[in-house]
Amino acid sequence: VASSLLTLAVPAILRKMKALSRWAWLYAVLGIGFLGVVWRLGSTTYGAQLTLSLGPIALQPSEFVKITFVFFTASMFQKSTSLKQILVTTAVAALHVLILVASTDLGSGLVYFASYLFMLFVATHRASLFFGGLGAGAVASVGAYKVFDHVRVRVAMWQNPFTDYEGKGYQLAQSIFAISSGGWFGLGFYQGVPTTIPLVRNDFIFAAICEELGAIFAICLVLIYLGFILQMFWVSTWMDDLFYKIVGFGLAVMIGMQVFLHIGGVTKMIPSTGITLPLISYGGSSVLCTMLIIGIIQGLHLMKQNEVEEIERKAIEREQEAGEINAKGKGKVR
């Protein structure tokens, strides 16, 4: 409820605050600062430093930094897309990712990285930079595999979780069992045993959906996400202002990457990254961040809609004025 109320206010804030594109370094300081605090003081959950505990409340700042990260990148690229500006922006973006890697929150780091590559491509239209970034990401992935035991374990369990069924592979193995037992139509509400999957409410909720509601329902869910993400891209392409266009694309890619990483990890298509499924997985920070992103996209849509309506209104006024002038001219001739 709180997220929904806050989301309703976001479009109004976007329309009123015209200086959002001028605060690039404020976004950078806030984002790096929050990630740095989590890195040094955050609680460790299954090998990754993710949360800050404030009494009974636990927050995951990396969720909210997604928004400041996108706004920072869009602000920098709106000002210039010169080589110097690209290098500075890339360095700051890389610092965000490196802090996440140091916190072993590699899933979030991958989401940030993919979002930055797409924003860079939208801003510059240079495919060489995009594919060069993909190459650098591939090299970094190999480096992460060699440096982090956590990554090597996940890759090994992705290859064959049954080699350590009662240990590291138990979560993924149970996910596979849950998906297969659900079949096409599912076992029905409360008829499955999804709780046998560790962290099912967070990291493996899609497996529980497949078990109890079936593969057809799961496919429909994927299609709903696809339509949702395509709508976000459509709104982004509709924007004339480069800042808002990049913001829209960056946020759309972040949601899309979350869906891909979660479902891909649960179904054993890719190694598990521990990423939440937007608006479904348990986690207040994830829900609030996703709702804020929806509010921002809705705000962009309303801004553009108002611009189009204003242009149409002025065009009608000009036509009316031209008609009145023509009428007066004909009267004089008579």
Side-chain angles (χ1 to χ4, degrees):
V1 172
S3 300
S4 299
L5 292 174
L6 186 58
T7 300
L8 291 175
V10 170
I13 295 173
L14 282 177
R15 292 170 64 182
K16 296 291 183 181
M17 300 181 69
K18 302 297 184 182
L20 289 173
S21 61
R22 303 175 190 170
W23 301 341
W25 291 107
L26 175 61
Y27 302 134
V29 170
L30 288 174
I32 292 172
F34 278 121
L35 293 180
V37 169
V38 176
W39 173 39
R40 304 308 302 171
L41 304 176
S43 302
T44 301
T45 304
Y46 289 88
Q49 289 174 282
L50 302 175
T51 58
L52 284 178
S53 298
L54 304 173
I57 300 174
L59 296 175
Q60 191 170 341
S62 63
E63 291 289 339
F64 303 103
V65 175
K66 290 175 183 176
I67 297 174
T68 61
F69 177 79
V70 168
F71 273 68
F72 161 76
T73 305
S75 299
M76 293 294 284
F77 286 149
Q78 188 203 36
K79 295 175 184 176
S80 172
T81 54
S82 64
L83 179 59
K84 179 181 178 181
Q85 189 80 340
I86 291 173
L87 291 175
V88 171
T89 308
T90 301
V92 177
L95 184 56
H96 281 77
V97 176
L98 288 174
I99 295 174
L100 289 168
V101 171
S103 303
T104 61
D105 188 3
L106 302 179
S108 294
L110 186 56
V111 171
Y112 280 54
F113 174 74
S115 177
Y116 178 75
L117 282 186
F118 275 90
M119 289 189 287
L120 176 63
F121 178 72
V122 171
T124 62
H125 301 289
R126 293 169 64 180
S128 58
L129 293 177
F130 179 81
F131 288 108
L134 285 180
V139 173
S141 298
V142 175
Y145 177 83
K146 293 183 178 297
V147 171
F148 296 105
D149 293 336
H150 183 61
V151 176
R152 287 196 293 274
V153 167
R154 292 208 171 190
V155 171
M157 294 305 100
W158 164 62
Q159 292 174 327
N160 188 357
F162 299 100
T163 57
D164 188 14
Y165 172 71
E166 295 184 355
K168 301 293 185 180
Y170 182 77
Q171 186 183 45
L172 184 55
Q174 289 300 113
S175 173
I176 295 170
F177 289 148
I179 294 171
S180 62
S181 65
W184 285 106
F185 302 102
L187 300 177
F189 279 124
Y190 292 94
Q191 299 304 308
V193 283
T195 53
T196 58
I197 307 172
L199 293 176
V200 66
R201 293 176 177 85
N202 307 74
D203 300 351
F204 278 74
I205 192 67
F206 190 76
I209 291 171
C210 291
E211 181 178 18
E212 297 201 343
L213 301 177
I216 292 177
F217 187 96
I219 292 170
C220 291
L221 179 61
V222 172
L223 294 176
I224 289 172
Y225 273 121
L226 180 62
F228 172 52
I229 294 164
L230 289 176
Q231 284 285 348
M232 295 177 71
F233 278 122
W234 176 77
V235 171
S236 305
T237 58
W238 202 26
M239 303 304 295
D240 295 322
D241 190 300
L242 182 60
F243 172 74
Y244 293 119
K245 186 185 291 288
I246 295 174
V247 165
F249 266 96
L251 295 176
V253 172
M254 283 197 163
I255 296 294
M257 280 298 296
Q258 276 190 252
V259 174
F260 172 74
L261 292 176
H262 180 96
I263 295 178
V266 166
T267 57
K268 200 179 171 293
M269 184 174 72
I270 59 174
S272 175
T273 56
I275 289 290
T276 56
L277 190 61
L279 296 179
I280 295 181
S281 292
Y282 174 81
S285 296
S286 175
V287 170
L288 179 55
C289 175
T290 306
M291 294 292 283
L292 288 174
I293 290 174
I294 292 171
I296 291 170
I297 297 297
Q298 181 68 10
L300 298 183
H301 180 268
L302 292 175
M303 287 171 58
K304 183 60 180 180
Q305 196 172 45
N306 290 341
E307 290 177 9
V308 171
E309 290 174 355
E310 183 66 18
I311 292 172
E312 291 176 348
R313 185 184 63 79
K314 290 181 178 179
I316 292 172
E317 289 178 353
R318 286 195 296 269
E319 289 178 0
Q320 290 175 344
E321 291 175 359
E324 291 175 359
I325 293 172
N326 290 335
K328 290 178 180 179
K330 291 178 180 179
K332 290 179 180 179
V333 171
R334 290 172 185 169

